[in-house]
Amino acid sequence: MIPQTYIQELIARTNIEELIGSYTQLKRAGRTYKGLCPFHSERTPSFVVYPDNQSFYCFGCGAGGDAITFVKKINNLDYVESVKFLASRAGMKLPEEDDAQGRLRSRVNALNRDAARFYFERMNSEKGVQARKYWRGRGLSDATIRRFGLGYAPDSFRETFVHLKSKGYTEEELLASGIVKKSEKGNLYDVFRNRVMIPIFDVRGNVIAFGGRNLGDEKPKYINSPETLVYKKSHTIFALNLAKKSASKRYILCEGYLDVISLHQAGFDTAVAACGTALTAEQVRMLSDYAEEVVLCYDSDEAGQKATSRAMELFESSTVKVTVLTLPNEKDPDEFIKRRGAAAFEQLLEGAGNTLEYKMAKFREKYDLRQPDGQVNYLKDCIELLALAATPTEQDVYAGRLSKEFGVEKRNILAQLENVSRINGRRRQRQIQRDLLKEGAAASIRLPVGISGEQALGVAMAQQQLVAALLKQPELLAQVKGKVAPDDFLQPELKEAFALILQREQDELPFDLPTLSGELSEASMAQLSKILAQNYEMTFAQEDIQLYLDRIQAGQTTSKAAAEMQPDQLAEYFERIKKRKQTIELSEQE
Ligand SMILES: [Zn+2]
């Protein structure tokens, strides 16, 4: 744990608009700053920085938090690393790392780096002849080998272990790195033996894991480091540390490490691969931090095609444009580059089919186009797809192509397209109306399943306002304490926040947004910055607080204890709330 006083000083020394201003251009707007959101792509600014309470909030994508949250999100760091990042920026001495987990983490990082160096040296030693031969056989130059830090793990159960031990690493650290395992007899031994080694880096360039390919007969052919406290497969993208330095924002997503390495060597420095078997939502999010376009370049076999479909689905909700590259005859990009060279790959890349074409090609495989009903069904699917996902220009182009191919009049295809679009449009319109009915801010409150209705929305609104008031004016807590409990909160993010606020008050610690960020989840931080943003101009009075408390209690009364209440009690209760509301409405009119 980093001391609260340290965090407070750090926040005081950090100028949030300056910090965020180095990632996105901000313009002053009154007491706030506005700019394009660095977390989603947009043309008109909906991202606001609030220097008064040291927070930011994006009205477009809902990203929000304090300076520490910002650094966490934008650089993909954890909390302690983000604090260190800000500390070095503010010229402060780094916090005492008394957190055992954090200490172990940095030791494992150092150990991995030493291991990578060791593997590299071994490869260049006499014993590494086979490994050097292997890499050369794969067509890799010395420069590429150095760039990726490739190496060789010697054919021994002890050599790596002994070397790292001599560097002063403890048994605990060695085991935590995943490079060493413990036998049943209790002896430590090397996991990677007689293998060519590929270090896996995180986005900041730390070695966090290894992949090793067997040079001998030992099974399996490939082994990877297990997940450790520095390595999460689903949160890692191979070569992202290199790709992020490229001027190009068009990334090439491949299946294997060797595809990536061989593409980099051929000059495609935005090639990356997902670590692990299937792409994850977190990896998509990481990529969308850097890439504007992602070209999916998976193997042409069945597994690769399945992976392509899955990846396309995952990218659908992101801001990244996705295209699909189909390799004509070769199995993977590595093979393609070797046979046909970089220029041919570049051509392929330029002509990379967009997802429309890819999906239409898939429809094509579904039907027998020699049969009339096969043609009709194919056309139907294409029209649905174009109506849903194509721009007017694209619709025109593809309608032309379909018309030529099947001898159907182009204007007939366009008329059908319009028809489908109109039906979809009506559906969308109805949805918009439904959303509008729920009205304003209430529409953005996500209630837990099983609780619904206007009553609950009102309670949830009151709870939001209550938390906003406490964050802005901590002295109001005295009025709230004992009247409402964390479990009363309908939204889990607010429940978490309120519980922490109470805890903080008991420990006589401050509870403004920046000091909460170390202990709150990211979702909760985003929710808090949102309600702070919504209440930016608001000053809360004791009457407001009372109104919120009444609203919350009334909601509970009806849902929980209505049965116990006498009808006249209940009526009186509502009368009281109504009166208070009228008074407030009157005072607003004045
Ligand atoms: Zn945003």
Side-chain angles (χ1 to χ4, degrees):
M1 276 277 290
I2 301 168
Q4 278 302 315
T5 47
Y6 185 93
I7 299 293
Q8 278 170 286
E9 192 186 341
L10 182 67
I11 294 300
R13 285 216 213 166
T14 299
N15 180 329
I16 192 168
E17 64 270 26
E18 209 179 275
L19 166 75
I20 296 179
S22 62
Y23 293 90
T24 181
Q25 210 179 337
L26 295 175
K27 274 208 181 105
R28 182 184 270 281
R31 277 147 64 212
T32 65
Y33 291 84
K34 256 190 152 182
L36 293 175
C37 176
F39 300 112
H40 84 278
S41 91
E42 58 176 6
R43 291 217 179 90
T44 47
S46 47
F47 181 86
V48 187
V49 179
Y50 302 89
D52 289 5
N53 55 32
Q54 292 284 312
S55 71
F56 69 93
Y57 184 71
C58 172
F59 288 88
C61 69
D66 64 333
I68 300 173
T69 322
F70 183 84
V71 170
K72 258 168 93 175
K73 273 180 84 78
I74 200 112
N75 292 322
N76 206 8
L77 304 175
D78 67 20
Y79 180 74
V80 175
E81 290 167 328
S82 304
V83 168
K84 287 184 181 165
F85 177 97
L86 284 173
S88 65
R89 206 177 156 276
M92 275 170 74
K93 244 182 72 190
L94 294 182
E96 289 293 313
E97 181 105 71
D98 55 5
D99 152 37
Q101 189 82 342
R103 210 165 34 221
L104 184 58
R105 194 197 321 266
S106 55
R107 285 293 283 169
V108 169
N109 275 335
L111 186 155
N112 281 333
R113 195 183 53 231
D114 279 336
R117 278 197 193 127
F118 174 73
Y119 294 142
F120 184 75
E121 279 160 20
R122 287 284 106 177
M123 179 186 63
N124 288 310
S125 76
E126 232 168 88
K127 281 183 181 164
V129 178
Q130 285 303 319
R132 291 201 298 280
K133 227 187 201 165
Y134 175 81
W135 289 128
R136 268 194 217 115
R138 302 291 313 219
L140 301 186
S141 68
D142 284 349
T144 302
I145 291 175
R146 215 170 306 116
R147 183 170 156 84
F148 283 88
L150 305 179
Y152 170 63
D155 194 4
S156 150
F157 277 89
R158 307 265 304 163
E159 224 175 302
T160 309
F161 163 65
V162 168
H163 171 79
L164 291 169
K165 202 152 180 257
S166 77
K167 289 255 163 195
Y169 295 104
T170 65
E171 187 170 309
E172 187 200 5
E173 290 158 0
L174 283 159
L175 286 169
S177 76
I179 291 175
V180 160
K181 264 192 194 160
K182 197 179 234 166
S183 72
E184 277 173 25
K185 283 186 193 153
N187 298 320
L188 299 189
Y189 67 93
D190 298 344
V191 171
F192 298 100
R193 301 177 302 275
N194 195 26
R195 285 172 187 271
V196 285
M197 299 295 288
I198 305 172
I200 296 161
F201 294 83
D202 66 12
V203 74
R204 276 154 293 133
N206 295 314
V207 181
I208 53 173
F210 293 91
R213 187 193 187 281
N214 198 8
L215 278 184
D217 303 322
E218 207 179 324
K219 292 268 154 61
K221 203 159 155 193
Y222 284 97
I223 50 176
N224 292 306
S225 297
E227 301 220 327
T228 64
L229 79 170
V230 299
Y231 177 52
K232 293 254 166 327
K233 254 194 317 200
S234 61
H235 287 55
T236 307
I237 291 172
F238 180 68
L240 186 59
N241 60 314
L242 300 173
K244 72 171 188 184
K245 293 178 192 151
S246 171
S248 167
K249 298 281 167 232
R250 184 198 224 187
Y251 281 46
I252 306 167
L253 182 58
C254 319
E255 235 172 284
Y257 303 145
L258 278 165
D259 293 326
V260 172
I261 296 172
S262 133
L263 281 173
H264 275 255
Q265 176 165 291
F268 303 97
D269 60 357
T270 55
V272 293
C275 291
T277 43
L279 192 69
T280 66
E282 175 58 21
Q283 287 165 334
V284 166
R285 196 200 57 73
M286 287 172 68
L287 276 172
S288 59
D289 279 351
Y290 301 98
E292 279 163 14
E293 181 185 348
V294 169
V295 182
L296 300 175
C297 191
Y298 286 167
D299 294 1
S300 53
D301 59 11
E302 206 192 319
Q305 293 312 295
K306 268 201 187 127
T308 303
S309 307
R310 192 187 135 75
M312 273 180 358
E313 269 169 41
L314 278 171
F315 274 107
E316 238 156 51
S317 58
S318 82
T319 52
V320 178
K321 181 184 168 208
V322 176
T323 49
V324 181
L325 188 143
T326 317
L327 297 164
N329 296 307
E330 288 73 10
K331 188 187 162 287
D332 55 38
D334 181 34
E335 191 182 316
F336 184 94
I337 296 254
K338 276 201 198 95
R339 274 209 215 152
R340 311 208 197 180
F345 190 79
E346 178 78 56
Q347 261 176 12
L348 209 58
L349 212 50
E350 285 320 311
N354 58 30
T355 48
L356 283 179
E357 275 184 30
Y358 181 82
K359 283 185 178 159
M360 280 163 72
K362 289 281 149 201
F363 293 154
R364 197 171 264 280
E365 287 165 17
K366 222 164 74 182
Y367 302 112
D368 182 0
L369 294 186
R370 286 163 307 183
Q371 304 298 328
D373 59 334
Q375 293 183 6
V376 169
N377 285 329
Y378 171 70
L379 276 172
K380 233 192 228 163
D381 279 2
C382 289
I383 285 168
E384 276 285 339
L385 172 72
L386 292 173
L388 196 76
T391 65
T393 323
E394 283 170 334
Q395 290 184 348
D396 195 70
V397 169
Y398 288 107
R401 281 195 207 166
L402 290 171
S403 136
K404 268 201 205 113
E405 188 176 358
F406 296 100
V408 185
E409 292 258 11
K410 183 175 165 186
R411 60 189 161 88
N412 285 346
I413 296 180
L414 285 174
Q416 283 189 46
L417 257 172
E418 202 174 308
N419 204 14
V420 176
S421 299
R422 209 178 312 123
I423 294 168
N424 286 342
R426 267 206 299 275
R427 241 179 250 152
R428 223 181 353 255
Q429 200 55 40
R430 273 201 297 275
Q431 185 58 44
I432 290 171
Q433 272 165 359
R434 268 200 295 273
D435 286 347
L436 277 178
L437 277 179
K438 288 189 201 155
E439 241 176 74
S444 66
I445 297 182
R446 288 172 300 104
L447 291 169
V449 189
I451 302 173
S452 61
E454 215 179 303
Q455 188 76 30
L457 271 181
V459 172
M461 270 298 275
Q463 289 172 343
Q464 283 197 353
Q465 292 304 99
L466 198 61
V467 173
L470 294 178
L471 288 175
K472 291 188 73 160
Q473 293 154 247
E475 72 279 3
L476 291 171
L477 183 58
Q479 197 188 339
V480 176
K481 239 171 41 180
K483 305 258 174 56
V484 52
D487 279 337
D488 297 334
F489 284 80
L490 295 175
Q491 290 170 279
E493 297 90 357
L494 294 187
K495 176 182 182 161
E496 190 188 337
F498 188 68
L500 184 59
I501 289 176
L502 288 180
Q503 183 61 48
R504 282 300 174 84
E505 203 251 358
Q506 205 174 30
D507 299 346
E508 295 179 10
L509 286 170
F511 51 82
D512 50 2
L513 195 65
T515 53
L516 293 180
S517 79
E519 287 167 63
L520 283 182
S521 67
E522 212 167 282
S524 186
M525 280 302 281
Q527 183 67 22
L528 294 190
S529 347
K530 176 183 177 179
I531 59 180
L532 275 176
Q534 285 167 343
N535 287 289
Y536 187 63
E537 301 289 352
M538 179 85 172
T539 310
F540 295 93
Q542 293 199 342
E543 289 76 21
D544 298 315
I545 303 300
Q546 194 52 51
L547 186 74
Y548 303 146
L549 288 173
D550 285 347
R551 192 77 191 75
I552 294 167
Q553 270 155 13
Q556 281 163 352
T557 309
T558 46
S559 62
K560 281 188 191 160
E564 295 165 23
M565 225 182 204
Q566 297 300 322
D568 52 334
Q569 273 181 306
L570 204 65
E572 191 192 20
Y573 204 87
F574 284 127
E575 198 54 36
R576 194 150 63 84
I577 291 168
K578 220 165 83 194
K579 259 193 208 134
R580 191 170 280 128
K581 208 175 158 203
Q582 279 164 353
T583 339
I584 285 185
E585 274 163 6
L586 277 177
S587 66
E588 274 170 356
Q589 280 165 11
E590 279 160 12

